[in-house]
Amino acid sequence: MSVARPAAAATCFVERDPRVALARRAAVEGIGTLLLMLMVAGAGDAVLRSGGLAGSGPLPGALATSGSLIGLILAFGAVSGGHFNPLITVLQWLAGGRRLDCTIAYVVAQSAGAVAGAMLADALFGVRTQAVAALPFGNPLLSEAVATAGLMIIVFGCSRSGRAQTGPFAVGAWLTAAILATPSGSYANPAVTLGALFTGGPVALSGGSALLYVLAQSAGALAAFLVISIAYPKRSLSLGGAAPTPVEGEAS
């Protein structure tokens, strides 16, 4: 006889039903990251193609990134958790809330989606893929570490607070501020950083730049992990990708 499973506490950045096939959830992560990167690179390509919008600065990129993330998280979050960022996925695994096979599948899908989105954006605008950014040193790296730490604190703070509907808006608001206020433009996402190797225009990065950005982002994410562990001590959460707790009458 089956025993009804108690409903999981509502939260954000966690899939509604972790029993959904991993291939389906990973595909959603890949598609979502593709669309996110398409908006990020497309905004930059649009500014480049128009010769630059006077006085706009990073505003088009900020609006495109935050707006697309809000829509994508609301659209796909119930299926995959709406990460579209390997750091969110990996930190959930470090917290013991996601299986390793799920983590690997998500990160691969996110990275592939970012590359595809960057190339699609350049194809749409007829921009030749090339790295135009100089190798970053000093403040840009600190900028990426700080921007990423803030983003991860927002993500996991919303998730552990149990206020499911705040996540997408909080992330979008943080990124709008970070893109406008940080010298690096707040990539804050290794998948987007990888995708920036395959696009031209203002968001493009060279190989050396991208590697240093990812290292800075990883350091920022680990700092955020420490902050969240202090603010929200680890508690039992049924995070997506974790094996469901067996109940009587069900296979483990």
Side-chain angles (χ1 to χ4, degrees), residues 54-149:
S56 65
L59 184 59
L63 295 176
T65 302
S66 59
S68 61
L69 266 176
I70 290 173
L72 289 167
I73 293 170
L74 288 173
F76 292 150
V79 178
S80 69
H83 299 184
F84 317 128
N85 185 333
L87 294 178
I88 298 174
T89 306
V90 170
L91 289 189
Q92 283 192 353
W93 171 64
L94 287 176
R98 190 167 295 278
R99 293 196 313 257
L100 180 59
D101 61 337
C102 180
T103 301
I104 293 172
Y106 271 32
V107 169
V108 169
Q110 291 157 352
S111 300
V115 171
M119 297 176 74
L120 178 58
D122 282 1
L124 289 176
F125 284 93
V127 175
R128 186 175 67 179
T129 297
Q130 56 182 342
V132 299
L135 184 68
F137 291 101
N139 287 341
L141 296 182
L142 179 60
S143 169
E144 277 301 296
V146 170
T148 304

Side-chain angles (χ1 to χ4, degrees), residues 10 18 21 39 45 71 81 95 108 115 120 132 136 156 175 204 224 239 242-243 251:
M39 296 298 101
D45 287 347
V108 169
V115 171
L120 178 58
V132 299
F156 283 86
L175 282 173
L239 295 184

Side-chain angles (χ1 to χ4, degrees), residues 3-25:
V3 175
R5 183 187 304 275
T11 186
C12 49
F13 304 108
V14 175
E15 48 268 55
R16 182 175 296 160
D17 186 357
R19 295 169 295 184
V20 171
L22 176 56
R24 176 183 166 195
R25 290 183 280 125

Side-chain angles (χ1 to χ4, degrees), residues 11 13 17 19 35 40 44 67 113 132 155 197 206-207 216 222 238 247:
T11 186
F13 304 108
D17 186 357
R19 295 169 295 184
L35 294 173
V40 171
V132 299
V155 167
L197 292 172
S206 67
L222 290 175
S238 178
V247 294

